[in-house]
Amino acid sequence: MDLAGHLNHKVFHIISTIAHQEGIQAFVIGGFVRDLLLTGYDTPPKDIDIVVLGSGIEMAERVRQSINEEVPLTVFKNFGTAMLKWEDTEIEFVGARKESYRKNSRKPLVEDGSLEDDQNRRDFTINALAISLNQDSYGQLLDPFGGLKHLEEKLITTPLDPGQTFSDDPLRMLRGIRFATRLDFLIEPDTFEAIGHHRERIGIVSQERITDELNKIMLTRQPGKGFTLLDKTGLLEIIFPELYQMKGVEEVEGQFHKDNFLHTLKVLDNIAMKTDDLWLRWAALMHDIAKPRTKKFEPGTGWTFHGHEFLGSKMIPGIFRNLKLPLNEKMKYVQKLVQLHLRPIVLSQDIVTDSAVRRLIFDAGNDLEDLMTLCEADITSKNEKTVKRHMRNFHVVREKIDEIEEKDSIRNFQPPISGDDIQYVFGIPPSRPVGIIKNAIKEAILDGEITNEFESAYRKMLEEGRELGLIVQNKLKKRGD
Ligand code: CTP
């Protein structure tokens, strides 16, 4: 197959010329070739992997001289690799190598090898495809392991015996699941079985790399498929036990609850249709995470999961720590959504009162739209009528929110009277009564008892102060007056 016409990036011709001058061979390999054959490129690729029969580092240095000395070059001497960042593309150079692995490490012993040795040591046949950059065969596809056929058959399989590929580098088990999910490919049965067999070896992979793969799976079009594969291969139990524990149904007195794992994956796939936001997707994956721990069968009522939203929100920091996800505002955001995830639905089942909606707007603040997206994704049922009914109710809640938002300015509202104001008016230091009055004003606004304005809040403050036996010492003017 001649792909010369597709090698549009200007670096390919530069490499080809240098390889010719130096009398060495160079090839483009890996993800670039795979994605080129799958989709063609109309935008410049983000990553290009180059393999040379010789020194990758020297080739990178020569290419840099030829482009411009200013282009950033990073050399990894220990690995014999070098990376050039040219405009928006990272170009990685490596010498063709033969690798052998030791039992307890992902770090291979490396020696120089042929192109075929190099293709052989790669993870999957679809990632082992190479295109020649040499002048006599420029653009020719080199495919000793049937990668092209596997692309057509939508198959993930390894060049070597899969057991060896995964035992050599167990991260590849997750990469395989990620590619199967992203490309919607099948993992060939022997390859699949080998993942199950070697699953415990994931223990030698750093958590950062595992989580990087999880994040990549999360960002695919149907991440639920990835988690199904993780479960079926036995990896899920090891790398995400809390999610694994959601599996299964129990029965008491002929009553079943739904399989919370399957439900969660449906919610995740639903939300993936609405948003690319990684953290909103994580919130969807974890919204019911405490269901196994709160599950109870109550005779007369059936299965209950009381308080799972609160316990779930409490579980998030521990899970984030274990997964080495960031312990920052992203985590707080996920916690908040998990904690609030029932609120809009509960609203939609009741008569929707203004004050309940106002409280929801206040509590969710800027994350209200995301919360609504999560809740809508959470409406899953085999019964279409039930889904339709919930969606209709939900629509009413949305309308009500819009209506109240227009009327009151509740979102992120700062009460029109501050704690400092209260201290000043009654001439008191920071103390409990200040908190009581402040809270009473906030509650009265949220309940719709008073409007969210200075005058009415001022009146409420005086009223509350009087009840607490406080005496007005100073008059306060509306800020800005
Ligand atoms: N590779 C491998 N084993 C790994 C990682 C990478 O064999 N654990 C090889 C594969 O041939 C892969 C290439 O190195 O194609 C480049 O790796 P990487 O850039 O991580 O992945 P890509 O295949 O380019 O895919 P993507 O950029 O979509 O992650």
Side-chain angles (χ1 to χ4, degrees):
M1 182 183 275
D2 183 3
L3 295 161
H6 295 278
L7 299 178
N8 295 324
H9 198 283
K10 38 200 180 185
V11 81
F12 295 129
H13 289 285
I14 296 173
I15 294 170
S16 182
T17 307
I18 294 170
H20 184 69
Q21 286 163 358
E22 302 287 318
I24 57 172
Q25 299 200 28
F27 307 85
V28 52
I29 195 163
F32 170 84
V33 182
R34 178 196 67 223
D35 292 344
L36 174 70
L37 290 167
L38 273 176
T39 56
Y41 272 117
D42 32 25
T43 49
K46 283 217 311 265
D47 299 302
I48 294 177
D49 292 291
I50 302 293
V51 58
V52 298
L53 304 188
S55 163
I57 296 177
E58 276 171 31
M59 173 57 97
E61 281 163 351
R62 291 277 285 113
V63 172
R64 184 205 203 193
Q65 282 163 13
S66 163
I67 307 173
N68 169 356
E69 290 287 351
E70 305 284 299
V71 173
L73 171 72
T74 319
V75 174
F76 304 95
K77 269 231 160 67
N78 293 348
F79 296 98
T81 64
M83 198 192 71
L84 270 182
K85 181 131 176 67
W86 191 13
E87 288 156 9
D88 288 332
T89 308
E90 289 185 352
I91 307 153
E92 185 151 347
F93 296 82
V94 60
R97 47 166 87 161
K98 214 174 170 164
E99 288 175 350
S100 52
Y101 288 80
R102 291 154 292 172
K103 202 154 178 20
N104 295 315
S105 167
R106 286 186 61 229
K107 298 206 176 61
L109 301 167
V110 178
E111 52 183 302
D112 291 347
S114 65
L115 174 68
E116 195 156 324
D117 288 332
D118 194 278
Q119 286 172 300
N120 211 2
R121 73 167 178 93
R122 291 183 178 261
D123 53 3
F124 302 109
T125 57
I126 59 168
N127 288 344
L129 290 155
I131 305 174
S132 166
L133 299 176
N134 307 302
Q135 295 199 341
D136 53 353
S137 54
Y138 191 83
Q140 254 178 47
L141 186 69
L142 297 140
D143 177 20
F145 304 108
L148 185 61
K149 182 165 147 272
H150 298 146
L151 275 181
E152 282 159 8
E153 291 170 356
K154 295 173 154 265
L155 211 58
I156 305 285
T157 183
T158 53
L160 291 173
D161 165 59
Q164 189 179 335
T165 299
F166 296 134
S167 169
D168 283 351
D169 178 359
L171 180 68
R172 291 167 168 174
M173 301 190 281
L174 292 180
R175 284 174 57 88
I177 290 174
R178 189 228 314 167
F179 288 122
T181 309
R182 194 187 109 198
L183 305 172
D184 199 16
F185 277 27
L186 189 78
I187 302 180
E188 177 274 325
D190 286 346
T191 307
F192 192 84
E193 204 184 302
I195 298 180
H197 190 72
H198 290 277
R199 63 182 187 276
E200 296 288 347
R201 290 236 346 128
I202 201 68
I204 66 162
V205 178
S206 74
Q207 185 60 50
E208 286 80 354
R209 284 190 190 276
I210 293 175
T211 299
D212 187 43
E213 289 298 331
L214 285 180
N215 279 335
K216 286 181 176 167
I217 291 171
M218 283 296 262
L219 288 171
T220 58
R221 223 160 41 87
Q222 278 193 306
K225 173 173 174 167
F227 285 95
T228 304
L229 289 172
L230 286 173
D231 174 42
K232 291 207 166 128
T233 51
L235 282 165
L236 189 72
E237 188 176 1
I238 304 171
I239 64 175
F240 201 162
E242 296 86 351
L243 191 60
Y244 175 79
Q245 280 150 18
M246 296 178 79
K247 279 183 56 168
V249 281
E250 239 185 285
E251 181 258 0
V252 175
E253 293 176 8
Q255 293 196 49
F256 296 86
H257 62 75
K258 64 175 153 187
D259 183 320
N260 291 310
F261 179 64
L262 296 182
H263 164 71
T264 293
L265 299 192
K266 181 92 189 68
V267 177
L268 180 61
D269 283 344
N270 281 349
I271 212 158
M273 287 192 271
K274 300 278 177 193
T275 176
D276 290 331
D277 186 305
L278 177 64
W279 304 106
L280 184 47
R281 289 180 175 204
W282 271 109
L285 188 67
M286 299 209 262
H287 75 287
D288 278 346
I289 200 79
K291 276 201 165 171
R293 297 196 190 173
T294 51
K295 180 163 89 175
K296 255 204 197 111
F297 185 81
E298 294 175 5
T301 308
W303 290 101
T304 63
F305 304 90
H306 288 310
H308 75 272
E309 69 280 27
F310 293 107
L311 186 61
S313 158
K314 285 219 176 88
M315 285 169 69
I316 303 295
I319 294 174
F320 265 56
R321 203 170 305 120
N322 291 343
L323 292 181
K324 295 229 161 87
L325 286 166
L327 304 174
N328 59 13
E329 74 288 348
K330 301 295 181 201
M331 179 188 83
K332 294 217 172 90
Y333 164 86
V334 173
Q335 277 193 287
K336 180 174 172 186
L337 291 189
V338 171
Q339 177 158 345
L340 295 178
H341 82 268
L342 293 178
R343 291 271 296 275
I345 280 292
V346 170
L347 264 187
S348 76
Q349 285 157 356
D350 264 351
I351 301 161
V352 192
T353 64
D354 282 14
S355 80
V357 173
R358 236 181 260 120
R359 277 175 191 283
L360 179 64
I361 298 174
F362 177 74
D363 290 339
N366 279 341
D367 301 316
L368 183 63
E369 268 78 37
D370 290 355
L371 179 66
M372 296 301 280
T373 307
L374 172 60
C375 286
E376 207 160 358
D378 198 11
I379 301 174
T380 70
S381 164
K382 284 204 182 75
N383 185 337
E384 279 209 17
K385 267 197 189 144
T386 314
V387 172
K388 274 212 176 106
R389 181 163 43 84
H390 279 303
M391 287 289 187
R392 243 192 336 266
N393 291 349
F394 202 71
H395 188 67
V396 175
V397 177
R398 272 190 192 278
E399 282 185 339
K400 195 86 190 170
I401 287 176
D402 289 346
E403 186 191 311
I404 299 235
E405 283 248 84
E406 212 165 288
K407 223 165 46 168
D408 312 342
S409 327
I410 294 298
R411 199 182 293 220
N412 300 322
F413 93 111
Q414 293 296 327
I417 301 261
S418 72
D420 284 350
D421 296 340
I422 299 166
Q423 289 171 44
Y424 175 74
V425 169
F426 296 111
I428 54 172
S431 51
R432 239 172 77 79
V434 180
I436 294 174
I437 297 174
K438 225 176 116 181
N439 199 44
I441 296 172
K442 184 189 97 185
E443 292 293 314
I445 293 173
L446 291 177
D447 279 339
E449 193 191 300
I450 63 172
T451 55
N452 184 15
E453 282 160 340
F454 179 81
E455 275 78 20
S456 44
Y458 196 83
R459 244 176 283 126
K460 180 76 185 166
M461 171 187 69
L462 295 181
E463 213 175 275
E464 289 293 315
R466 209 175 306 124
E467 264 178 41
L468 289 168
L470 300 174
I471 295 164
V472 175
Q473 307 286 336
N474 301 296
K475 284 238 176 335
L476 182 69
K477 276 198 173 162
K478 186 177 175 179
R479 274 185 293 272
D481 282 1

